[in-house]
Amino acid sequence: MSLVKTYDSIDELLSESTLVVRVQASADQKEVSADSAGTDKLASTLTTVKVLETYVGSPDSSLTIRQSGSKGMVFDGLAELLVPGDEYILFLKPFSFDPKGPDTGEFIITGEVGAYQLQEGRFKLTAKSAPNLPTSVDADNPLGD
C-alpha cells in the first residue's frame, strides 16, 4: 500500500486531511519498523511535535508523526524527515497499519507530501516532486482562504 499521492491543489490536499497544524518538531525522534510486527526492513521515523497553531481540526497539544524512512534516507517525492527544532505547517491524517484496523494514535503527513518547513519567513514545501502544490505558503494564511 503506497501512502504517496499526487495532489493538484491545496484544496485537494486539505480534503484528505483531518488536521492542519503549525508545529515545532522536538528532538524526540525514534526509528521503528515500518510494519506492526516489527519485521519490515524499511524503517519509519516517529517524531513528537508540539502544536503551535491549529488551522483545521482539534488536535492534542502534542502529536506523534510517522514518516517513511530514517535519517540519511532520501525518497524522491516524499516530504523530508522533520528536523528537530524547526517549525512546519503539516497536513495530517490518522495512521493505522490496516485501513480497517485500530487507530495507533499516530499521524502521517497526507500523501507523504503535505509538509511545509519555515525557511526565511515563509513555509516551503519539503517534498521535491509535488509539481502541482504551491512551493510555499504564507504563515498567516496557509490554506489560501
Side-chain angles (χ1 to χ4, degrees):
M1 170 178 78
S2 176
L3 302 175
V4 181
K5 184 173 176 184
T6 301
Y7 294 91
D8 290 324
S9 67
I10 286 284
D11 287 340
E12 189 177 343
L13 185 65
L14 182 59
S15 73
E16 293 191 12
S17 303
T18 58
L19 294 175
V20 181
V21 289
R22 181 175 179 166
V23 302
Q24 183 173 36
S26 77
D28 182 14
Q29 283 187 323
K30 66 181 176 180
E31 190 177 306
V32 296
S33 178
D35 70 347
S36 61
T39 58
D40 195 323
K41 291 183 177 149
L42 177 65
S44 289
T45 298
L46 301 179
T47 304
T48 301
V49 299
K50 177 183 175 184
V51 175
L52 304 174
E53 190 170 352
T54 301
Y55 305 103
V56 173
S58 299
D60 292 336
S61 60
S62 69
L63 304 169
T64 301
I65 310 301
R66 177 180 284 265
Q67 291 181 271
S68 297
S70 60
K71 200 172 198 170
M73 295 177 78
V74 177
F75 293 103
D76 187 36
L78 272 61
E80 295 175 0
L81 289 180
L82 302 178
V83 176
D86 283 6
E87 287 188 28
Y88 295 84
I89 292 176
L90 300 178
F91 292 76
L92 301 170
K93 60 185 181 180
F95 172 78
S96 67
F97 288 102
D98 177 344
K100 296 177 184 170
D103 183 3
T104 62
E106 300 167 1
F107 289 85
I108 57 171
I109 295 169
T110 304
E112 293 267 10
V113 296
Y116 288 81
Q117 182 180 31
L118 183 60
Q119 298 174 12
E120 301 167 1
R122 294 214 21 110
F123 284 89
K124 297 186 180 178
L125 187 67
T126 67
K128 302 299 182 215
S129 287
N132 299 326
L133 290 177
T135 57
S136 67
V137 295
D138 183 33
D140 295 327
N141 189 17
L143 305 181
D145 297 332

